[in-house]
């Protein structure tokens, strides 16, 4: 019998090595069941590190940007925001001609120091650090709703998700969610493994 996950595990091993990561994990689910699990390496590269296993937890960096981008796409689709809206419409006092699209593509030409923006290049000409905090602020100004409210109202609640746990970082006020569709029985989700997942 052929192994359908051989190539995926091989890719994971290659990426782990290329990135010089101390460990990696892979979990594949189909029809609400775990069909493949693979764990390799350690939690860190110092002596005494615990092996990666089903109870391992990982920081998932920059995932908040995905939630904010989804909320931005919803707002653009609904017409409450437009790509060519000047940033100055939402954040008065911003210098230059940067638009919402420039902010989304990280090319405003602005440099931020102590909360103040300075135009250092024409919009669209340089790549800069991402600013999901500004995108979230503009979305809230344009809609009167937070990212959390938009995602719950237009995505999470209409999907009929069952038990939902949300956590909002105090500094960024960004959503993380563990969502189980209502057709998954609580016993099918095995929280004792320590996995945290988004089931959408």
């Amino acid at each position: 019998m052929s192994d359908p996950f051989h190539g995926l595990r091989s890719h994971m091993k290659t990426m782990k090595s290329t990135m010089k990561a101390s460990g990696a994990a892979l979990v594949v689910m189909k029809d609400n069941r775990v069909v493949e699990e693979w764990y390799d390496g350690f939690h860190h590269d110092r002596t005494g590190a615990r092996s990666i296993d089903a109870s391992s937890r990982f920081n998932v960096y920059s995932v908040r940007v995905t939630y904010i981008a989804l909320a931005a796409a919803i707002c653009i689709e609904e017409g409450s925001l437009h790509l060519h809206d000047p940033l100055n419409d939402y954040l008065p006092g911003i210098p230059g001609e940067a638009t919402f699209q420039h902010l989304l593509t990280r090319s405003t030409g602005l440099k931020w120091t102590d909360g103040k923006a300075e135009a250092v290049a024409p919009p669209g000409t340089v790549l800069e650090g991402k600013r999901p905090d500004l995108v979230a602020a503009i979305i809230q100004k344009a809609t009167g709703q937070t990212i959390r409210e938009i995602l719950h109202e237009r995505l999470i609640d209409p999907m009929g998700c069952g038990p939902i746990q949300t956590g909002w970082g105090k500094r960024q006020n960004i959503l993380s969610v563990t969502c189980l569709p209502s057709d998954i029985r609580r016993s099918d989700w095995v929280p004792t493994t320590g996995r945290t997942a988004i089931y959408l």
Side-chain angles (χ1 to χ4, degrees):
M1 181 174 170
S2 82
D3 177 2
F5 299 105
H6 172 75
L8 186 56
R9 284 191 307 270
S10 177
H11 175 73
M12 291 289 292
K13 288 177 186 176
T14 299
M15 291 308 298
K16 177 181 168 279
S17 175
T18 300
M19 296 172 62
K20 297 180 178 25
S22 63
L26 168 71
V27 176
V28 178
M29 295 186 71
K30 180 180 180 187
D31 298 326
N32 302 324
R33 301 278 180 245
V34 175
V35 295
E36 173 64 8
E37 291 184 76
W38 173 83
Y39 307 99
D40 186 50
F42 300 91
H43 278 261
H44 52 78
D45 55 6
R46 295 180 299 278
T47 304
R50 189 168 72 82
S51 294
I52 301 292
D53 60 22
S55 66
S56 296
R57 295 188 183 244
F58 298 90
N59 287 326
V60 183
Y61 295 100
S62 294
V63 76
R64 70 187 173 119
V65 174
T66 305
Y67 293 120
I68 294 172
L70 177 57
I74 289 169
C75 292
I76 291 165
E77 177 68 22
E78 292 178 351
S80 54
L81 274 170
H82 304 280
L83 289 174
H84 300 292
D85 288 347
L87 290 184
N88 215 353
D89 287 359
Y90 301 100
L91 304 170
I94 299 278
E97 303 296 320
T99 64
F100 190 56
Q101 182 174 5
H102 291 122
L103 181 61
L104 293 175
T105 58
R106 300 169 51 188
S107 62
T108 62
L110 300 173
K111 178 181 177 184
W112 291 84
T113 308
D114 298 325
K116 303 278 186 204
E118 172 189 2
V120 295
T125 62
V126 295
L127 182 65
E128 60 222 16
K130 57 188 174 249
R131 292 300 307 256
D133 56 326
L134 295 180
V135 176
I138 288 171
I139 289 171
Q140 187 163 6
K141 262 194 174 171
T143 66
Q145 292 184 293
T146 64
I147 301 297
R148 181 180 195 274
E149 291 166 339
I150 290 168
L151 294 181
H152 270 274
E153 180 181 300
R154 294 169 183 83
L155 178 70
I156 296 169
D157 296 343
M159 287 176 57
C161 289
I164 295 175
Q165 302 167 359
T166 56
W168 289 84
K170 289 181 182 169
R171 193 168 66 86
Q172 289 102 0
N173 196 29
I174 303 304
L175 171 75
S176 67
V177 63
T178 301
C179 175
L180 301 176
S182 55
D183 63 343
I184 296 180
R185 294 184 319 273
R186 190 75 174 153
S187 61
D188 290 338
W189 182 58
V190 188
T192 56
T193 65
R195 282 190 212 100
T196 301
I198 300 171
Y199 295 87
L200 297 177

